[in-house]
Amino acid sequence: MQKTLTIRGADLYQGYLDPEAQQALVDALREIIRAAPFFRPETRWGKPMSVRMTAAGRYGWFSDRKGYRYEPRHPSGVVWPAIPAMVLDLWRDVTGLAREPDCCLINYYGADAKMGMHQDKDEADFSMPVVSISLGDDALFRLGNVARSGATESIWLTSGDVVVLGGDARLIHHGIDRVRPGSSQLLPKGGRINLTLRVVD
Ligand code: MD6
Ligand code: FE
């Protein structure tokens, strides 16, 4: 599909996944979460994050007191499950790249979870975009600048929306201020799942 909006260089594909595709993706994620359950990473300052995480692909993103990095295994020792085929199809469609993502990070936001402003910069090649897929409750996404300071703009992401950070927008600061609990019926226990797809090496 065509992008629906560009905001601070981020390309949005609002409603990329229709309700049936969203449900199919949730079903695929259930298998992944069974093999690689959600865990709660700690920041490098030793504070537990409010978001719970797991991953699929060759690498998962991991954080503890030693810092932020990509790991080839879940904390339990199992290798991460494969990235679902429909997610790889979406990546190919919105990026046009033959190169597949190495990591599909899976973030779960409960009613009180948020994610502070950050840059995605633990990857080796910033010419490769980062793609995100939103499922479940609405979330207020804030986009800023490559520099930490300066003006920001916010937009509500809803279930099925896709965001691509590439080109000059690849290193902009961004975060989730809050979710709107109960705004979607997709996830049986409520909340929001965000997938982010990245080339790591
Ligand atoms: C989220 N998203 O939507 C957090 N990163 O929960 C991100 O941190 C993100 O949406 C890189 C590219 C797109 C994103
Ligand atoms: Fe990010």
Side-chain angles (χ1 to χ4, degrees), residues 39-42 53 60-65 67-71 73-75 80 105 122:
F39 57 93
R40 184 178 291 223
E42 286 189 339
M53 294 187 180
W61 187 84
F62 193 75
S63 172
D64 62 15
R65 286 156 200 259
Y68 308 136
R69 61 195 180 273
Y70 284 98
E71 290 280 1
R73 291 171 186 272
H74 183 272
W80 305 103
L105 181 65
D122 299 320

mmCIF file of all heavy atoms in Angstrom, residues 39-42 53 60-65 67-71 73-75 80 105 122:
data_model
loop_
_atom_site.group_PDB
_atom_site.id
_atom_site.type_symbol
_atom_site.label_atom_id
_atom_site.label_comp_id
_atom_site.label_asym_id
_atom_site.label_seq_id
_atom_site.Cartn_x
_atom_site.Cartn_y
_atom_site.Cartn_z
ATOM 1 N N PHE A 39 9.844 -10.985 29.059
ATOM 2 C CA PHE A 39 10.611 -10.701 30.272
ATOM 3 C C PHE A 39 10.687 -9.189 30.402
ATOM 4 O O PHE A 39 10.346 -8.461 29.467
ATOM 5 C CB PHE A 39 12.014 -11.340 30.201
ATOM 6 C CG PHE A 39 12.831 -10.907 29.017
ATOM 7 C CD1 PHE A 39 13.711 -9.835 29.111
ATOM 8 C CD2 PHE A 39 12.701 -11.548 27.781
ATOM 9 C CE1 PHE A 39 14.447 -9.427 28.013
ATOM 10 C CE2 PHE A 39 13.450 -11.141 26.681
ATOM 11 C CZ PHE A 39 14.326 -10.081 26.798
ATOM 12 N N ARG A 40 11.121 -8.742 31.562
ATOM 13 C CA ARG A 40 11.188 -7.301 31.808
ATOM 14 C C ARG A 40 12.646 -6.889 31.928
ATOM 15 O O ARG A 40 13.286 -7.193 32.932
ATOM 16 C CB ARG A 40 10.419 -6.973 33.088
ATOM 17 C CG ARG A 40 10.361 -5.484 33.362
ATOM 18 C CD ARG A 40 9.542 -5.230 34.602
ATOM 19 N NE ARG A 40 8.134 -5.520 34.389
ATOM 20 C CZ ARG A 40 7.147 -4.752 34.829
ATOM 21 N NH1 ARG A 40 7.409 -3.655 35.497
ATOM 22 N NH2 ARG A 40 5.898 -5.074 34.595
ATOM 23 N N PRO A 41 13.188 -6.226 30.896
ATOM 24 C CA PRO A 41 14.603 -5.844 30.979
ATOM 25 C C PRO A 41 14.825 -4.739 32.018
ATOM 26 O O PRO A 41 13.888 -4.027 32.380
ATOM 27 C CB PRO A 41 14.919 -5.299 29.579
ATOM 28 C CG PRO A 41 13.703 -5.512 28.759
ATOM 29 C CD PRO A 41 12.553 -5.753 29.679
ATOM 30 N N GLU A 42 16.054 -4.640 32.474
ATOM 31 C CA GLU A 42 16.455 -3.531 33.350
ATOM 32 C C GLU A 42 17.233 -2.521 32.529
ATOM 33 O O GLU A 42 17.971 -2.891 31.621
ATOM 34 C CB GLU A 42 17.401 -4.036 34.447
ATOM 35 C CG GLU A 42 16.735 -4.818 35.533
ATOM 36 C CD GLU A 42 17.707 -5.080 36.687
ATOM 37 O OE1 GLU A 42 18.935 -5.008 36.477
ATOM 38 O OE2 GLU A 42 17.226 -5.351 37.793
ATOM 39 N N MET A 53 9.326 -7.477 27.107
ATOM 40 C CA MET A 53 9.932 -7.730 25.793
ATOM 41 C C MET A 53 10.204 -9.200 25.532
ATOM 42 O O MET A 53 10.450 -9.967 26.447
ATOM 43 C CB MET A 53 11.287 -7.024 25.697
ATOM 44 C CG MET A 53 11.200 -5.537 25.724
ATOM 45 S SD MET A 53 12.817 -4.806 25.399
ATOM 46 C CE MET A 53 12.337 -3.080 25.502
ATOM 47 N N GLY A 60 17.845 -10.846 19.477
ATOM 48 C CA GLY A 60 16.886 -10.068 20.257
ATOM 49 C C GLY A 60 17.623 -8.937 20.938
ATOM 50 O O GLY A 60 18.806 -9.056 21.260
ATOM 51 N N TRP A 61 16.915 -7.833 21.147
ATOM 52 C CA TRP A 61 17.525 -6.703 21.856
ATOM 53 C C TRP A 61 17.451 -6.988 23.347
ATOM 54 O O TRP A 61 16.453 -7.525 23.846
ATOM 55 C CB TRP A 61 16.775 -5.435 21.503
ATOM 56 C CG TRP A 61 17.384 -4.172 22.033
ATOM 57 C CD1 TRP A 61 18.384 -3.453 21.454
ATOM 58 C CD2 TRP A 61 17.020 -3.477 23.229
ATOM 59 N NE1 TRP A 61 18.671 -2.349 22.219
ATOM 60 C CE2 TRP A 61 17.849 -2.341 23.312
ATOM 61 C CE3 TRP A 61 16.087 -3.701 24.233
ATOM 62 C CZ2 TRP A 61 17.766 -1.429 24.365
ATOM 63 C CZ3 TRP A 61 15.995 -2.803 25.281
ATOM 64 C CH2 TRP A 61 16.825 -1.679 25.331
ATOM 65 N N PHE A 62 18.483 -6.643 24.074
ATOM 66 C CA PHE A 62 18.542 -6.977 25.494
ATOM 67 C C PHE A 62 19.171 -5.829 26.262
ATOM 68 O O PHE A 62 20.018 -5.112 25.733
ATOM 69 C CB PHE A 62 19.366 -8.256 25.700
ATOM 70 C CG PHE A 62 19.225 -8.835 27.074
ATOM 71 C CD1 PHE A 62 18.082 -9.516 27.447
ATOM 72 C CD2 PHE A 62 20.240 -8.673 28.006
ATOM 73 C CE1 PHE A 62 17.945 -10.031 28.734
ATOM 74 C CE2 PHE A 62 20.112 -9.187 29.296
ATOM 75 C CZ PHE A 62 18.960 -9.878 29.653
ATOM 76 N N SER A 63 18.734 -5.647 27.494
ATOM 77 C CA SER A 63 19.266 -4.572 28.331
ATOM 78 C C SER A 63 19.400 -5.062 29.765
ATOM 79 O O SER A 63 18.506 -5.728 30.281
ATOM 80 C CB SER A 63 18.304 -3.386 28.271
ATOM 81 O OG SER A 63 18.700 -2.404 29.199
ATOM 82 N N ASP A 64 20.526 -4.759 30.377
ATOM 83 C CA ASP A 64 20.701 -4.971 31.814
ATOM 84 C C ASP A 64 21.766 -3.988 32.291
ATOM 85 O O ASP A 64 22.091 -3.041 31.584
ATOM 86 C CB ASP A 64 21.058 -6.443 32.133
ATOM 87 C CG ASP A 64 22.369 -6.889 31.507
ATOM 88 O OD1 ASP A 64 23.155 -6.032 31.064
ATOM 89 O OD2 ASP A 64 22.611 -8.100 31.470
ATOM 90 N N ARG A 65 22.310 -4.213 33.497
ATOM 91 C CA ARG A 65 23.265 -3.248 34.050
ATOM 92 C C ARG A 65 24.517 -3.117 33.205
ATOM 93 O O ARG A 65 25.270 -2.153 33.346
ATOM 94 C CB ARG A 65 23.642 -3.639 35.487
ATOM 95 C CG ARG A 65 22.510 -3.353 36.469
ATOM 96 C CD ARG A 65 22.620 -4.231 37.702
ATOM 97 N NE ARG A 65 21.344 -4.319 38.388
ATOM 98 C CZ ARG A 65 21.020 -3.625 39.479
ATOM 99 N NH1 ARG A 65 21.872 -2.795 40.018
ATOM 100 N NH2 ARG A 65 19.840 -3.762 40.018
ATOM 101 N N GLY A 67 24.413 -2.797 30.020
ATOM 102 C CA GLY A 67 24.110 -1.899 28.901
ATOM 103 C C GLY A 67 23.173 -2.541 27.893
ATOM 104 O O GLY A 67 22.602 -3.607 28.138
ATOM 105 N N TYR A 68 23.006 -1.878 26.765
ATOM 106 C CA TYR A 68 22.079 -2.298 25.712
ATOM 107 C C TYR A 68 22.856 -3.066 24.650
ATOM 108 O O TYR A 68 23.942 -2.657 24.257
ATOM 109 C CB TYR A 68 21.441 -1.081 25.040
ATOM 110 C CG TYR A 68 20.807 -0.101 25.996
ATOM 111 C CD1 TYR A 68 21.000 1.261 25.840
ATOM 112 C CD2 TYR A 68 20.003 -0.546 27.037
ATOM 113 C CE1 TYR A 68 20.407 2.171 26.702
ATOM 114 C CE2 TYR A 68 19.403 0.361 27.906
ATOM 115 C CZ TYR A 68 19.620 1.710 27.734
ATOM 116 O OH TYR A 68 19.031 2.610 28.589
ATOM 117 N N ARG A 69 22.294 -4.159 24.170
ATOM 118 C CA ARG A 69 22.980 -4.942 23.138
ATOM 119 C C ARG A 69 22.012 -5.928 22.487
ATOM 120 O O ARG A 69 20.903 -6.139 22.981
ATOM 121 C CB ARG A 69 24.140 -5.717 23.752
ATOM 122 C CG ARG A 69 23.694 -6.701 24.831
ATOM 123 C CD ARG A 69 24.869 -7.187 25.668
ATOM 124 N NE ARG A 69 24.451 -8.129 26.700
ATOM 125 C CZ ARG A 69 24.023 -7.781 27.917
ATOM 126 N NH1 ARG A 69 23.932 -6.513 28.243
ATOM 127 N NH2 ARG A 69 23.667 -8.696 28.786
ATOM 128 N N TYR A 70 22.460 -6.549 21.387
ATOM 129 C CA TYR A 70 21.711 -7.637 20.762
ATOM 130 C C TYR A 70 22.292 -8.966 21.225
ATOM 131 O O TYR A 70 23.510 -9.114 21.336
ATOM 132 C CB TYR A 70 21.783 -7.511 19.242
ATOM 133 C CG TYR A 70 20.868 -6.423 18.741
ATOM 134 C CD1 TYR A 70 21.349 -5.162 18.459
ATOM 135 C CD2 TYR A 70 19.513 -6.670 18.601
ATOM 136 C CE1 TYR A 70 20.497 -4.153 18.034
ATOM 137 C CE2 TYR A 70 18.646 -5.670 18.176
ATOM 138 C CZ TYR A 70 19.144 -4.427 17.890
ATOM 139 O OH TYR A 70 18.294 -3.439 17.476
ATOM 140 N N GLU A 71 21.389 -9.912 21.523
ATOM 141 C CA GLU A 71 21.790 -11.229 22.011
ATOM 142 C C GLU A 71 21.209 -12.304 21.090
ATOM 143 O O GLU A 71 20.059 -12.185 20.652
ATOM 144 C CB GLU A 71 21.229 -11.467 23.426
ATOM 145 C CG GLU A 71 21.867 -10.613 24.511
ATOM 146 C CD GLU A 71 23.217 -11.166 24.980
ATOM 147 O OE1 GLU A 71 23.678 -12.208 24.442
ATOM 148 O OE2 GLU A 71 23.807 -10.533 25.878
ATOM 149 N N ARG A 73 20.327 -15.273 21.974
ATOM 150 C CA ARG A 73 19.428 -16.156 22.715
ATOM 151 C C ARG A 73 18.559 -15.393 23.710
ATOM 152 O O ARG A 73 18.969 -14.380 24.260
ATOM 153 C CB ARG A 73 20.228 -17.213 23.504
ATOM 154 C CG ARG A 73 20.900 -18.226 22.614
ATOM 155 C CD ARG A 73 21.848 -19.117 23.398
ATOM 156 N NE ARG A 73 22.585 -19.979 22.480
ATOM 157 C CZ ARG A 73 22.145 -21.161 22.066
ATOM 158 N NH1 ARG A 73 20.995 -21.655 22.527
ATOM 159 N NH2 ARG A 73 22.856 -21.861 21.214
ATOM 160 N N HIS A 74 17.362 -15.945 23.945
ATOM 161 C CA HIS A 74 16.471 -15.504 25.019
ATOM 162 C C HIS A 74 17.183 -15.742 26.353
ATOM 163 O O HIS A 74 18.030 -16.635 26.436
ATOM 164 C CB HIS A 74 15.187 -16.348 24.893
ATOM 165 C CG HIS A 74 14.101 -16.017 25.856
ATOM 166 N ND1 HIS A 74 14.008 -16.595 27.103
ATOM 167 C CD2 HIS A 74 13.032 -15.185 25.748
ATOM 168 C CE1 HIS A 74 12.923 -16.124 27.725
ATOM 169 N NE2 HIS A 74 12.314 -15.268 26.921
ATOM 170 N N PRO A 75 16.832 -14.972 27.420
ATOM 171 C CA PRO A 75 17.485 -15.190 28.718
ATOM 172 C C PRO A 75 17.406 -16.640 29.218
ATOM 173 O O PRO A 75 18.269 -17.086 29.970
ATOM 174 C CB PRO A 75 16.717 -14.250 29.662
ATOM 175 C CG PRO A 75 16.172 -13.184 28.786
ATOM 176 C CD PRO A 75 15.935 -13.806 27.440
ATOM 177 N N TRP A 80 16.088 -17.472 19.632
ATOM 178 C CA TRP A 80 14.832 -16.781 19.365
ATOM 179 C C TRP A 80 14.070 -17.510 18.264
ATOM 180 O O TRP A 80 14.677 -17.977 17.288
ATOM 181 C CB TRP A 80 15.103 -15.342 18.910
ATOM 182 C CG TRP A 80 15.933 -14.548 19.862
ATOM 183 C CD1 TRP A 80 17.257 -14.246 19.717
ATOM 184 C CD2 TRP A 80 15.522 -13.950 21.098
ATOM 185 N NE1 TRP A 80 17.692 -13.495 20.798
ATOM 186 C CE2 TRP A 80 16.640 -13.298 21.653
ATOM 187 C CE3 TRP A 80 14.302 -13.894 21.787
ATOM 188 C CZ2 TRP A 80 16.582 -12.603 22.868
ATOM 189 C CZ3 TRP A 80 14.252 -13.205 22.989
ATOM 190 C CH2 TRP A 80 15.376 -12.575 23.526
ATOM 191 N N LEU A 105 11.839 -7.261 17.384
ATOM 192 C CA LEU A 105 11.644 -7.032 18.817
ATOM 193 C C LEU A 105 10.149 -6.937 19.086
ATOM 194 O O LEU A 105 9.418 -6.298 18.307
ATOM 195 C CB LEU A 105 12.356 -5.739 19.222
ATOM 196 C CG LEU A 105 12.277 -5.354 20.694
ATOM 197 C CD1 LEU A 105 13.010 -6.373 21.556
ATOM 198 C CD2 LEU A 105 12.869 -3.963 20.904
ATOM 199 N N ASP A 122 21.702 0.894 18.247
ATOM 200 C CA ASP A 122 22.526 -0.248 18.613
ATOM 201 C C ASP A 122 22.807 -1.150 17.406
ATOM 202 O O ASP A 122 23.312 -2.259 17.556
ATOM 203 C CB ASP A 122 21.847 -1.061 19.732
ATOM 204 C CG ASP A 122 21.652 -0.220 20.984
ATOM 205 O OD1 ASP A 122 22.555 0.564 21.315
ATOM 206 O OD2 ASP A 122 20.588 -0.337 21.623
#
